[in-house]
Amino acid sequence: MNLLKKNRLKSRIAWVVALLFAFQFSFASGHEGHEGEEGKPVDVKELVFGHINDAYSWHIATIGDTHIEIPLLCIVYGQNGLDVFCSSNLGHAGHYTEYKGYKIAEKGHANEGRIIEVATNERPWDFSITKNVLSLFISCGLLLWIFLSIAGKYKKNPMSAPRGLQGLLEPLIVSLHDDIIKPCVGKNYAKFAPYLLTAFFFIFLNNLLGIIPIFPGGANLTGNIAVTFVLALITFLLTNFYGTKAYFEEIYNPEVPTWLKLPIPIMPFIEFIGVFIKPLALMIRLFANMLAGHMMVLVLIGLIFIFAAINPIAGYSVSLLSVALVVFMTLLECLVCFIQAYVFTILSALFIGLAQVEPHHHSNEVKKN
Amino acid sequence: MSLLTPDFGLVFWMLLCFLIVLVILGKFGWPVIIGMINERGDYIEKSLEAASEANEKLKNIKAEADQILADAKSDRLEIVSEAKKLRDQIIAEAKNEAEREAAKIKEATAREIQQEKENAIKEIRSQMTELSVGVAEKVLRRELSDSNSQAALINSLLDEINVAKS
C-alpha cells in the first residue's frame, strides 16, 4: 500500500518535471523559430524584457510568421475622448500600426512599448486591459472562487474535518492567523487579519501563476512595481491611519538623548523617513525578488540561443545544462513564491503592529521620579 | 515599458480589483473561515474533554461492575454454603424428628403392649381366680357334703398351717 503510494508520488513528480521540460522547450522553440529564421542575432535583452514587461496582447508563441496570441482590450482616454478597441489593431513588435490616432511607441521612445497619441506624442490616460490586468482579473477571480467556496464549505459542514482544497489551505490560514497575525499585530489583530490574509494569498497565488510559463500563467504580475506599489500603499495607509497616539509621539518625539532631537532634529527626521522607507522596502523587495526569478529563468533559456548562434553543437550541449538549471530555478522559485508572500505578510503585520503601541507608562513614571 | 515606473492603468486596476477582493473576502470569506475554525477548535476541545470525562466515568463504571461481580460471586458462595448448611440442618432436624417420632412410637407401642399384657394378665388372673374359685367351690361343695370329711379337711388345713408355722 505504502509502496504503491510512493510509486504514484514518484510518477507524479516525474510528470511535473516532464511538463516543466515540455513547457520550457516549447517556450524556447517558439523564439528560436521567430528570431532564427530572420537571421538576426538573438537579442536576449529584448527577449527577457519582452516577457517581464507588461504587454497589450497575451503572446503565447510565434511559429514562423504566425503569432499565437490573445488580443486584449485597449481602453484609452485621450484628446478625442474615450476610445475602446482591440489590441490586434496595433500590430506586433517590430511593425506597430497606427489606429484611431494611437500607436505603440517604438524602441528608443521615452514611453517605449506603451500606447501614445500620435498627434501629441504623449501618453493618454491608459486603462487598457493589458496582460497583467487580465492576469490580475484571473487571479482575483480565482481568489474569490477559492475562498468563497471554502467559506461555503465551512458554513455547510461546520464541525466536519476539512477536505480537499479546504484541507490544503486550512493549515496555511490557521498558521498565518495564529502564528503571524496574532503575535505581530497584537490585540487589535482582528481588524487587520482580512487585509493580511488577502495580501498573502493574493501574492502567493500570483507568484505561483507567474512561474507557470503559458496562459493563464506567466504574467509577471507580482514582479511589476505597480502591483507591489498598491500593496505597499495599503500597508502604509493601514499602518498610519490606525496608528496610535504613542506611535506618532515616537516619531516626532522619540525617547532618545535630547541632543539628538534639539538643535537639529536628527532622530525625528530619521523616524519620519522610516515611515516611508518601510513600505518602500516592502514594495521593492517583492518586486525585485519576483522580477529576478523570472529574469534568471529567461536568461538561462536565452543562453541556449546565444550559444546556438555561435555553434549548433554548443547550443545543444548548453541547452541540456540550461534546462537542468531552469528546472532547478523553477523549483527554487516555488519556494521563493511562498517566502516572498510570507515575508510581505509578516512585515506588513509587524509594521501595523508597531503602529499599535500603547504609551509607555513605565518610562513616564521614571521621568516623574 | 520601463520597469521602475508604475504604470497608471495597472495601478488603477490593481487598486480596484484588490479592494473588491478585500471587501468581498473581508465580509464573506475570512470572518466565516476564521470564525468556523475557532468554533470547531472549541468544539473539538470540548469534545475531547467530554470524552476524557466519559472515559473516566467508564473506568469508574467498570470498577463498579467488577466490584458488583465480585460481590455477587462472594454472595453466591455464601448463599450456596448457607443453603448447604440449611440443608444439612434440615436433614439433621428431620432425622432427629424421625428418630424421636420413631422412639415415641416405639415407646407408645411398648406401653400399649405392656398395658395389653397387663390387661391380659389381669384378665387371665381374674378368670383364673374365677375358675379357681369355681373349682374350689365345686371341690368344696362336694367335699363338705358330709361332716366328717369337713372336719378332716379342716384338720388337714390346720395341719398344713401348723406345719407351715413351725
Side-chain angles (χ1 to χ4, degrees):
Chain A
M1 191 64 196
N2 214 358
L3 199 74
L4 203 84
K5 265 187 188 169
K6 249 186 201 168
N7 280 341
R8 203 180 291 163
L9 188 70
K10 263 186 193 166
S11 72
R12 266 187 203 172
I13 288 169
W15 261 106
V16 169
V17 171
L19 277 176
L20 278 174
F21 264 91
F23 280 148
Q24 303 294 359
F25 272 124
S26 66
F27 180 58
S29 60
H31 285 272
E32 194 171 35
H34 176 49
E35 318 263 3
E37 267 168 21
E38 285 170 24
K40 278 188 270 176
V42 187
D43 188 352
V44 174
K45 192 185 157 203
E46 199 182 280
L47 188 150
V48 169
F49 281 88
H51 278 90
I52 282 171
N53 271 330
D54 207 353
Y56 287 103
S57 61
W58 199 312
H59 179 262
I60 291 169
T62 304
I63 300 163
D65 271 340
T66 34
H67 297 270
I68 302 172
E69 58 183 18
I70 302 163
L72 302 171
L73 206 63
C74 292
I75 306 166
V76 283
Y77 186 83
Q79 284 177 324
N80 307 326
L82 191 69
D83 269 312
V84 180
F85 52 89
C86 181
S87 73
S88 58
N89 292 317
L90 293 169
H92 297 284
H95 37 88
Y96 292 124
T97 50
E98 192 184 320
Y99 185 77
K100 282 190 176 175
Y102 297 104
K103 196 174 188 256
I104 295 176
E106 296 287 352
K107 215 170 164 183
H109 192 277
N111 289 315
E112 183 193 333
R114 301 188 191 195
I115 289 177
I116 50 166
E117 267 183 289
V118 178
T120 57
N121 214 18
E122 289 287 316
R123 294 262 296 143
W125 291 102
D126 186 354
F127 297 101
S128 299
I129 310 298
T130 59
K131 183 180 174 185
N132 277 342
V133 175
L134 180 60
S135 175
L136 177 69
F137 288 169
I138 293 170
S139 63
C140 285
L142 272 176
L143 273 180
L144 286 179
W145 176 65
I146 290 169
F147 289 103
L148 290 182
S149 72
I150 285 182
K153 266 189 195 169
Y154 277 110
K155 240 181 201 168
K156 218 170 159 190
N157 313 311
M159 295 312 165
S160 70
R163 286 172 174 282
L165 203 57
Q166 188 190 10
L168 179 72
L169 290 173
E170 190 183 296
L172 205 53
I173 295 169
V174 170
S175 75
L176 281 171
H177 188 257
D178 293 353
D179 302 336
I180 294 178
I181 296 170
K182 259 188 205 172
C184 287
V185 178
K187 63 175 182 173
N188 290 330
Y189 73 91
K191 205 159 44 180
F192 304 101
Y195 165 64
L196 293 167
L197 285 167
T198 310
F200 175 85
F201 284 104
F202 179 85
I203 297 169
F204 189 36
L205 181 68
N206 278 303
N207 287 350
L208 286 177
L209 283 176
I211 56 170
I212 299 171
I214 57 155
F215 183 83
N220 183 24
L221 192 66
T222 40
N224 191 301
I225 202 152
V227 171
T228 59
F229 166 74
V230 170
L231 289 169
L233 181 74
I234 297 174
T235 298
F236 171 78
L237 290 176
L238 283 178
T239 307
N240 291 289
F241 190 74
Y242 288 104
T244 55
K245 216 170 151 191
Y247 163 69
F248 289 111
E249 210 176 280
E250 271 179 21
I251 293 170
Y252 298 116
N253 187 20
E255 282 178 34
V256 287
T258 321
W259 61 270
L260 279 172
K261 293 190 278 191
L262 249 183
I264 316 160
I266 304 171
M267 279 315 285
F269 182 68
I270 291 174
E271 290 277 355
F272 183 69
I273 292 292
V275 171
F276 298 97
I277 292 289
K278 282 175 197 165
L280 206 69
L282 276 183
M283 172 173 92
I284 299 292
R285 180 182 299 107
L286 179 58
F287 158 70
N289 271 291
M290 295 326 293
L291 188 74
H294 281 249
M295 227 180 232
M296 273 302 292
V297 171
L298 289 164
V299 166
L300 285 170
I301 291 292
L303 273 183
I304 300 171
F305 303 107
I306 292 173
F307 278 91
I310 302 167
N311 182 341
I313 297 168
Y316 279 117
S317 45
V318 167
S319 70
L320 281 176
L321 185 71
S322 277
V323 168
L325 281 174
V326 167
V327 169
F328 170 73
M329 276 307 299
T330 309
L331 291 177
L332 191 69
E333 276 301 290
C334 292
L335 199 65
V336 172
C337 286
F338 178 78
I339 291 170
Q340 285 309 317
Y342 189 81
V343 166
F344 188 95
T345 313
I346 204 170
L347 286 179
S348 289
L350 267 179
F351 294 158
I352 291 169
L354 284 176
Q356 304 286 312
V357 281
E358 295 298 321
H360 294 285
H361 296 294
H362 177 67
S363 55
N364 285 350
E365 276 164 27
V366 171
K367 267 183 198 166
K368 273 177 205 163
N369 292 341
Chain B
M1 292 185 187
S2 166
L3 276 180
L4 283 169
T5 45
D7 188 44
F8 172 77
L10 188 53
V11 169
F12 167 77
W13 286 115
M14 170 65 192
L15 205 55
L16 186 73
C17 291
F18 189 81
L19 288 180
I20 289 173
V21 170
L22 182 57
V23 166
I24 294 178
L25 287 187
K27 196 144 200 186
F28 306 108
W30 303 121
V32 175
I33 294 171
I34 300 289
M36 285 297 176
I37 287 174
N38 287 341
E39 211 170 283
R40 201 182 53 204
D42 290 346
Y43 171 73
I44 290 171
E45 211 166 287
K46 261 183 217 159
S47 302
L48 283 178
E49 241 167 63
S52 75
E53 235 169 69
N55 243 347
E56 199 100 324
K57 261 185 204 168
L58 204 68
K59 249 185 224 165
N60 288 350
I61 285 171
K62 224 177 190 180
E64 248 168 65
D66 285 347
Q67 189 59 45
I68 287 169
L69 214 66
D71 284 357
K73 245 180 209 171
S74 69
D75 278 3
R76 192 186 63 183
L77 279 177
E78 216 168 281
I79 288 167
V80 166
S81 69
E82 228 162 77
K84 235 181 209 171
K85 235 187 266 169
L86 207 65
R87 185 193 64 188
D88 289 349
Q89 204 178 320
I90 288 169
I91 289 173
E93 255 171 42
K95 231 183 205 169
N96 282 351
E97 188 78 13
E99 263 167 26
R100 235 180 294 140
E101 205 66 23
K104 235 189 236 168
I105 290 169
K106 235 186 201 168
E107 216 174 297
T109 315
R111 229 185 288 140
E112 222 164 87
I113 289 171
Q114 194 67 30
Q115 193 98 33
E116 287 297 312
K117 209 169 105 185
E118 272 170 23
N119 283 353
I121 289 173
K122 243 185 227 167
E123 212 165 290
I124 289 173
R125 208 178 255 175
S126 68
Q127 270 185 11
M128 268 192 32
T129 318
E130 252 173 60
L131 272 179
S132 54
V133 168
V135 168
E137 217 180 58
K138 268 177 189 167
V139 168
L140 281 181
R141 222 174 260 158
R142 208 182 46 169
E143 289 287 318
L144 293 180
S145 47
D146 61 290
S147 45
N148 288 350
S149 54
Q150 277 174 353
L153 182 66
I154 293 165
N155 281 336
S156 70
L157 285 173
L158 286 172
D159 280 348
E160 257 170 49
I161 294 164
N162 285 340
V163 168
K165 266 185 184 174
S166 63

